[in-house]
Amino acid sequence: MSESKSNPQQNGQTYQAWQVSEQDGGYRGCETTLSTADLPAGEVLIRVSHSSLNYKDALSASGNKGVTRQFPHTPGIDAAGEVVELAAGAPAGVLGVGSQVLVTGYDLGMNTSGGFGEYICVPAAWCIAMPEGWMAKTAMTYGTAGLTAGLSVHKLLTMGASPAQGKVAVSGASGAVGSVAVEILSVLGFDVVAISGKTEQEDTLRTLGASEILGREALELQKKPMLKPVFANAVDTVGGAPLAELLKQVKPGGSVSCCGLVAGIELPTSVLPFILRGVNLLGVDSVEIPLADKQAIWDKLAGPWRCLQTEKSARVIGRNDLASALEAFLAAKSSGKIVLQHGLN
Ligand code: NDP
């Protein structure tokens, strides 16, 4: 492959991918041989060595049309690997052939073939140079989930959140986003209360730095319009009724960053937390934000916010284990970070 082709993938290199197709009214992923000639036209052809598992991948793999409209499709909203070809006119810079890059979000893995295949072809504007000293596997230990956790914490910090204000809660704490948020906040010196439905994850959450673990019942729907304010700030990864209950328990002037919907997209709240306590609800989008904003968080994750426990405890799987790992996401049985390594099996 050369650097000067106008269509990077036109030479047609075969590769392996975990491709999802519609079968008997359902959706099933399986090992498939594909050609780079069939990848969507893009500026940068990347040989993917690692991807990362996310709740959105599980939605795509199960045929959720809100995520992926057309099948067969290769999911994987995260990818890291080596640039093998650039289209003529593509902005080179840090993206020269042979450089290590990572891609998260935008349309990757949704309606653009994603990181569960050994090659992707994407616009240069989606690619981030691998942070100094990091390997593809390290970056994918964080993936979109880690980026989202970083953005959630960043939002709290921009509102002036500090350890001196008191406890910070993290809901869905054992999940991919939640677990990284627990560790980042702990690294920053916060007193972290992890809220989790998995009692068996208590030791892990403490290892990540949580000082207190509460069961999900702490956020069960209650009739009272407001509750005792116990949390200075919070990172919510579940949405729905638990988020509404969390808002009732935040101290005056506190902030809650919100990124997820596993507990539902409806938010059954009143205006009271906002007008009686001045609570701030901060939305987090890790997908469509400018590349420079993503880069700033990646630099923090590779620097002062580095999560060594998350890196140590991440589970590495091959494509053969994708189906069961993605099912666990949908059944809310997944925990921690899972990295996909191509070539493992
Ligand atoms: P995971 O499945 O890894 O984690 C979600 C966690 O939420 C579970 O592990 C569980 O944790 C908890 N949970 C699951 N179901 C329920 C429920 N019904 N009620 C309360 N808690 C529940 O997913 P991710 O961490 O990857 O993603 C979390 C959310 O964030 C998803 O909705 C995802 O779509 C969203 N997201 C949004 C992004 C953005 O840019 N806005 C980017 C990335 C993710 P426990 O057992 O510990 O309670």
Side-chain angles (χ1 to χ4, degrees):
M1 294 186 185
S2 86
E3 198 165 345
S4 58
K5 293 274 185 290
S6 53
N7 292 315
Q9 73 275 39
Q10 72 185 9
N11 282 352
Q13 163 87 42
T14 57
Y15 67 94
Q16 295 304 115
W18 192 80
Q19 195 186 52
V20 176
S21 45
E22 205 167 352
Q23 287 176 19
D24 306 323
Y27 292 84
R28 198 168 155 261
C30 61
E31 186 78 358
T32 312
T33 303
L34 299 173
S35 165
T36 55
D38 299 326
L39 285 171
E43 295 168 327
V44 186
L45 184 65
I46 299 166
R47 188 188 300 117
V48 179
S49 62
H50 295 80
S51 180
S52 173
L53 271 64
N54 293 277
Y55 185 74
K56 200 187 253 182
D57 298 319
L59 293 177
S60 172
S62 61
N64 186 305
K65 292 284 163 67
V67 177
T68 301
R69 288 187 300 277
Q70 290 199 329
F71 294 86
H73 170 67
T74 305
I77 64 170
D78 294 334
E82 183 183 343
V83 175
V84 291
E85 209 175 86
L86 283 178
V94 292
L95 296 178
V97 169
S99 57
Q100 293 287 319
V101 292
L102 66 101
V103 183
T104 67
Y106 303 117
D107 192 48
L108 188 71
M110 293 180 69
N111 293 292
T112 299
S113 272
F116 293 178
E118 292 172 329
Y119 282 86
I120 57 171
C121 194
V122 297
W126 293 7
C127 301
I128 285 183
M130 190 65 67
E132 186 116 3
W134 266 18
M135 314 284 279
K137 182 185 160 200
T138 323
M140 291 296 97
T141 300
Y142 295 84
T144 286
L147 175 66
T148 306
L151 284 163
S152 300
V153 172
H154 172 73
K155 286 253 170 166
L156 296 184
L157 298 179
T158 57
M159 295 302 290
S162 75
Q165 292 169 342
K167 295 175 181 179
V168 57
V170 178
S171 64
S174 78
V177 178
S179 58
V180 183
V182 167
E183 188 166 4
I184 297 172
L185 287 162
S186 155
V187 164
L188 292 175
F190 282 87
D191 184 0
V192 186
V193 179
I195 302 173
S196 173
K198 300 189 193 81
T199 48
E200 73 278 11
Q201 289 296 319
E202 183 159 345
D203 287 350
T204 306
L205 289 167
R206 287 198 189 279
T207 307
L208 292 174
S211 61
E212 195 179 335
I213 321 289
L214 299 178
R216 270 192 216 160
E217 58 280 2
L219 300 180
E220 248 164 36
L221 197 58
Q222 295 193 33
K223 285 207 176 106
K224 285 188 182 170
M226 292 295 274
L227 296 166
K228 192 175 155 199
V230 281
F231 306 119
N233 297 287
V235 169
D236 176 74
T237 74
V238 302
L243 171 55
E245 291 309 301
L246 192 52
L247 289 166
K248 293 178 187 173
Q249 300 181 51
V250 173
K251 290 182 180 179
S255 298
V256 180
S257 55
C258 119
C259 68
L261 45 65
V262 287
I265 58 167
E266 303 295 337
L267 182 56
T269 186
S270 75
V271 295
L272 295 182
F274 311 111
I275 64 175
L276 295 183
R277 292 188 186 149
V279 169
N280 307 295
L281 181 57
L282 314 169
V284 174
D285 167 33
S286 70
V287 180
E288 294 293 342
I289 55 169
L291 202 66
D293 294 353
K294 292 186 183 183
Q295 182 84 61
I297 299 298
W298 282 113
D299 290 344
K300 291 212 190 303
L301 291 171
W305 295 3
R306 194 154 179 186
C307 296
L308 295 176
Q309 288 302 330
T310 297
E311 289 179 24
K312 209 161 84 179
S313 61
R315 192 153 62 92
V316 182
I317 64 167
R319 289 190 301 272
N320 286 349
D321 292 324
L322 271 174
S324 55
L326 291 170
E327 268 168 32
F329 267 89
L330 293 178
K333 288 189 176 147
S334 189
S335 59
K337 288 295 296 114
I338 305 175
V339 176
L340 170 69
Q341 183 173 326
H342 290 295
L344 203 61
N345 50 26

